[in-house]
Amino acid sequence: SQQGEEDPQALSIQEGENATMNCSYKTSINNLQWYRQNSGRGLVHLILIRSNEREKHSGRLRVTLDTSKKSSSLLITASRAADTASYFCATVGSTLGRLYFGRGTQLTVWP
Amino acid sequence: EPEVTQTPSHQVTQMGQEVILRCVPISNHLYFYWYRQILGQKVEFLVSFYNNEISEKSEIFDDQFSVERPDGSNFTLKIRSTKLEDSAMYFCASWSVRDRGRGYTFGSGTRLTVV
C-alpha cells in the first residue's frame, strides 16, 4: 500500500510553540500533499511537495521530504489556537492519480 | 477563492434506499473525484472522472455506486441501495492542470447516515 501514515496521532501544545507532524509512506511517489480538516468539515489543501523537492515553505508552514527514508514532516511555527485541526498527509503516485491518505494527526493548540 | 460546492450537507436515508450526492466542481476544472471518510477512519478514494468517463476507481466503488456529469456543472455520486456501512462523510474534489503544483480542491462534504 502507498498510504501515508502520520505520527503522532495526537499532539497538544501551547500557543506560540511549534508543532511538528511526521508522515511515512511505502512506495515511490510523484508528490506528497498536506491537508487540514477542521472537525466535521472538508479538507483544505495546505502545501504540495514534489518528489524532487526537499523543502518547501508557505507562511508559517514548512514541509520537508526525504525520499530515501520515505518520510515527510510538516512544521507549523508559532502555532495559534485557530490551528487546532486534524492534519493529513496524502501521497500521489502519478500526477493525476488518487490520493492515499494517512489517519491524520489531531493537533490541539491551547490558548 | 473558487469553491467546490456539495449538497446536501447532511442526508439521512433508510437502508436499501437510493441516494444521490451532488457536487458543483470549480468551473474550469476537468478532473473530478469522490472520496469518503468513515467516522474515525482514513479518507478513502472512491473514483476519479475525466472527459465524461471514469478514469480510475477503487475496490470500494462496486456496482452499487455510479457517477455522472448530467450537465456542464454538476457531478453526482449515486448509491443505488444503501447499506449501514455506507454511512460516512463523502467528499467531492476537483482539479485542473493549471493547478499543477497545487493540490485538489475539496468540498465541505455530505454526511450520509444510513439507518
Side-chain angles (χ1 to χ4, degrees), chain A residues 3-5 33 35 37 40-43 45 48 50 56 88 92 95-103, chain B residues 31 33 35 37 40-43 45 56-59 89 91 95 100-104 106-108 111:
Chain A
Q3 290 167 333
E5 296 293 344
Q33 304 176 26
Y35 287 83
Q37 183 183 37
R41 305 288 296 170
L43 295 153
H45 176 254
L48 179 154
R50 293 192 180 89
K56 206 161 181 180
F88 297 90
V92 182
T95 305
L96 302 175
R98 65 171 76 175
L99 294 169
Y100 290 89
F101 284 88
R103 292 190 184 277
Chain B
Y31 299 86
Y33 309 86
Y35 286 78
Q37 184 181 31
Q41 297 190 23
K42 294 184 181 186
V43 177
F45 169 79
E56 188 181 2
K57 60 183 181 179
S58 72
E59 54 282 358
M89 196 78 163
F91 294 106
W95 188 79
R100 197 180 297 272
R102 290 165 57 180
Y104 304 160
F106 282 82
S108 295
R111 181 172 298 284

Side-chain angles (χ1 to χ4, degrees), chain A residues 5 21 33 72 86 109:
Chain A
E5 296 293 344
M21 289 160 270
Q33 304 176 26
S72 172
S86 290
V109 182

Side-chain angles (χ1 to χ4, degrees), chain B residues 19 22 37 53 58 65 75 86 89 107:
Chain B
V19 295
R22 302 181 192 279
Q37 184 181 31
E53 61 183 26
S58 72
F65 290 92
F75 178 51
D86 293 327
M89 196 78 163

Side-chain angles (χ1 to χ4, degrees), chain B residues 65-84:
Chain B
F65 290 92
S66 62
V67 289
E68 196 177 36
R69 189 153 162 81
D71 53 44
S73 59
N74 290 285
F75 178 51
T76 62
L77 174 69
K78 182 192 290 186
I79 309 175
R80 257 179 277 281
S81 178
T82 50
K83 305 172 199 165
L84 294 176

Side-chain angles (χ1 to χ4, degrees), chain A:
Chain A
S1 164
Q2 191 176 338
Q3 290 167 333
E5 296 293 344
E6 294 88 346
D7 166 59
Q9 290 187 348
L11 182 61
S12 187
I13 59 175
Q14 293 289 129
E15 258 189 332
E17 293 181 341
N18 295 341
T20 300
M21 289 160 270
N22 302 299
C23 170
S24 60
Y25 57 93
K26 294 180 181 175
T27 62
S28 62
I29 60 171
N30 176 281
N31 65 74
L32 185 145
Q33 304 176 26
W34 284 90
Y35 287 83
R36 166 196 166 121
Q37 183 183 37
N38 285 64
S39 180
R41 305 288 296 170
L43 295 153
V44 176
H45 176 254
L46 296 175
I47 197 163
L48 179 154
I49 187 164
R50 293 192 180 89
S51 59
N52 61 352
E53 296 176 310
R54 291 297 165 257
E55 188 171 311
K56 206 161 181 180
H57 297 255
S58 176
R60 292 185 297 113
L61 305 180
R62 173 178 167 249
V63 168
T64 62
L65 179 65
D66 186 334
T67 52
S68 67
K69 294 181 180 177
K70 292 187 169 57
S71 67
S72 172
S73 67
L74 171 68
L75 169 68
I76 304 175
T77 59
S79 61
R80 306 165 182 166
D83 295 329
T84 295
S86 290
Y87 291 81
F88 297 90
C89 71
T91 56
V92 182
S94 61
T95 305
L96 302 175
R98 65 171 76 175
L99 294 169
Y100 290 89
F101 284 88
R103 292 190 184 277
T105 293
Q106 172 61 51
L107 173 67
T108 303
V109 182
W110 298 99

